[in-house]
């Protein structure tokens, strides 16, 4: 596994540019076979981080959320590993994710919403969790919980990013 020790742990990210730069530093270090499970509420910055990783890897864009296509492959423009950007939100099991037939050995793979779904794909992976204040019209209300509707999402609020190695 290739993420430098100095990138492991918890840090506060206070802007989109900082999130993108963290992703770029990660992308510079990742190699084929690396798997990242990316977790965070709607609007937390998962796609911004992934865009930075893509830049660091030198892959073809644009990088967009793969929610409706399940997975997108971005080939390398510099002779490195491609990036597979997957979204497990609509999947119900690790078997369904495995059915997507992702090249986990020859690619850098990012799986959004993949917690508890990657054990069969890789023995080890990186887990990145992005936390931000929730409320308003985001993840809290998508399933009908309107108890927090009056609160506003703060797009400029700092995020807490935790990078760890699993298991």
């Amino acid at each position: 596994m290739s993420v430098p020790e100095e990138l492991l742990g918890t840090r506060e990210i206070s802007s989109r540019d900082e999130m993108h730069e963290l992703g770029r530093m990660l992308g510079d270090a990742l190699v084929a076979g690396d798997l990242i499970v990316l977790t965070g509420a709607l609007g937390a910055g998962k796609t911004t981080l992934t865009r930075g990783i893509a830049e660091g890897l030198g892959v073809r864009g644009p990088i967009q959320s793969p929610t409706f296509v399940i997975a997108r492959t971005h080939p390398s423009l510099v002779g490195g590993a491609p990036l597979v950007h997957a979204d497990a939100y609509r999947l119900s099991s690790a078997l369904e994710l495995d059915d997507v037939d992702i090249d986990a050995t020859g690619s850098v793979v990012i799986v959004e919403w993949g917690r508890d779904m990657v054990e069969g794909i890789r023995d080890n992976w990186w887990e990145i969790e992005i936390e931000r204040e929730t409320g308003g019209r985001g993840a809290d209300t998508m399933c009908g919980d309107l108890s927090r509707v009056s609160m506003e999402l703060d797009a400029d609020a700092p995020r807490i990013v935790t990078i760890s190695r699993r298991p």
Side-chain angles (χ1 to χ4, degrees):
M1 303 299 262
S2 58
V3 172
E5 290 292 321
E6 63 267 14
L7 293 180
L8 298 176
T10 301
R11 67 185 38 78
E12 183 174 299
I13 301 293
S14 57
S15 70
R16 285 179 193 240
D17 289 343
E18 281 184 39
M19 185 71 76
H20 184 89
E21 179 60 18
L22 175 61
R24 192 198 55 72
M25 289 187 298
L26 285 164
D28 284 344
L30 295 169
V31 297
D34 281 337
L35 171 65
I36 295 173
V37 173
L38 186 54
T39 303
L42 200 60
K46 296 182 300 292
T47 301
T48 300
L49 182 71
T50 302
R51 286 181 181 134
I53 291 171
E55 181 181 315
L57 286 170
V59 300
R60 185 177 72 206
I63 304 300
Q64 301 170 339
S65 176
T67 300
F68 296 105
V69 296
I70 307 299
R72 285 192 170 95
T73 299
H74 300 276
S76 177
L77 298 172
V78 296
L83 171 66
V84 176
H85 185 199
D87 188 323
Y89 183 78
R90 295 186 304 137
L91 304 179
S92 60
S93 71
L95 287 174
E96 283 188 273
L97 182 60
D98 192 43
D99 283 345
V100 176
D101 198 27
I102 293 171
D103 179 8
T105 303
S107 305
V108 171
V109 179
I110 297 174
V111 180
E112 293 186 23
W113 306 99
R115 186 172 281 153
D116 300 324
M117 290 196 159
V118 298
E119 287 81 6
I121 294 174
R122 272 285 195 249
D123 292 333
N124 299 297
W125 61 91
W126 300 104
E127 189 157 292
I128 301 176
E129 183 161 358
I130 305 172
E131 298 176 81
R132 66 158 175 83
E133 292 192 27
T134 59
R137 293 172 179 70
D140 300 319
T141 60
M142 35 191 303
C143 294
D145 178 5
L146 302 177
S147 64
R148 300 171 85 178
V149 134
S150 63
M151 297 174 66
E152 291 290 324
L153 288 177
D154 187 355
D156 296 326
R159 273 52 169 171
I160 304 300
V161 178
T162 303
I163 302 172
S164 58
R165 187 182 326 219
R166 298 285 185 235

